Amino acid sequence: MCDTASPNQFVQKLDDYIDSLTHKKENLIGVLHYAQELYGYLPDNVQWHIAQKLDIPSATVYGVVSFYSFFTMIPRGEHVVNVCTGTACFVRGAEKLKEELENQLKIKAGETTPDNLFTLETLRCVGACGLAPVMIVDGEVHGRMLEAQDINEVLAKYRP
């Protein structure tokens, strides 16, 4: 999310994006992705606005947002840390990795640090089984995360 933009600028950017679409209703998921990039999450008022602009029921928008795990209605931290819990990662220590991240960040999975710097989440297989266990920070894959020191070094890259 761009911190220098005002809420009105976000609305204008979202409206401009929607207005540029030829088939608006058919692009709900793309619009939701774009809105989440702008806002960082999809609060009720943004979902309602999208429903109005696409001329679809707000329940339809909510249904899509609540169904797909890549959408969130809760603000996330500046950096999103995901722990892969797929079979290979699970067998090779994903639970220990998650516990170490919870310990270092002082939050549980699904929570955001009080300074809004990190959000910790789990997800299913990311397709990097040869690197298990894997953590992903802002889309960057970090493999073989077995040692507390290695985890700390990765997190340090994202701290101010």
Side-chain angles (χ1 to χ4, degrees):
M1 180 171 80
C2 180
D3 294 334
T4 59
S6 72
N8 289 338
Q9 288 172 314
F10 287 153
V11 171
Q12 188 59 54
K13 284 182 177 187
L14 180 56
D15 286 352
D16 290 347
Y17 177 75
I18 293 170
D19 292 341
S20 75
L21 299 171
T22 305
H23 303 285
K24 293 174 182 26
K25 292 179 185 181
E26 294 82 359
N27 284 294
L28 174 58
I29 290 177
V31 170
L32 290 169
H33 276 295
Y34 185 78
Q36 186 162 288
E37 285 178 31
L38 286 175
Y39 293 90
Y41 69 116
L42 297 168
D44 291 342
N45 62 323
V46 171
Q47 292 179 54
W48 183 85
H49 182 79
I50 290 168
Q52 297 301 305
K53 286 291 289 183
L54 299 181
D55 193 29
I56 58 176
S58 57
T60 300
V61 175
Y62 176 79
V64 171
V65 170
S66 62
F67 180 78
Y68 291 105
S69 62
F70 46 82
F71 293 127
T72 183
M73 293 179 274
I74 300 169
R76 288 183 172 157
E78 184 178 337
H79 304 288
V80 178
V81 180
N82 286 290
V83 175
C84 177
T85 59
T87 303
C89 286
F90 180 80
V91 169
R92 293 184 183 153
E95 186 63 27
K96 288 181 183 177
L97 170 57
K98 180 180 75 75
E99 289 170 0
E100 182 59 32
L101 283 163
E102 290 175 337
N103 180 51
Q104 289 191 28
L105 296 173
K106 298 179 178 30
I107 58 172
K108 296 290 183 190
E111 297 178 345
T112 298
T113 56
D115 61 1
N116 290 316
L117 190 59
F118 294 103
T119 295
L120 179 60
E121 298 177 342
T122 60
L123 46 75
R124 296 288 176 215
C125 185
V126 298
C129 302
L131 299 174
V134 169
M135 66 187 257
I136 300 111
V137 184
D138 297 341
E140 184 178 345
V141 176
H142 303 275
R144 298 186 180 92
M145 293 283 104
L146 299 168
E147 303 295 326
Q149 181 61 33
D150 295 336
I151 296 164
N152 187 49
E153 287 175 14
V154 169
L155 292 177
K157 294 178 188 177
Y158 299 93
R159 289 191 165 113

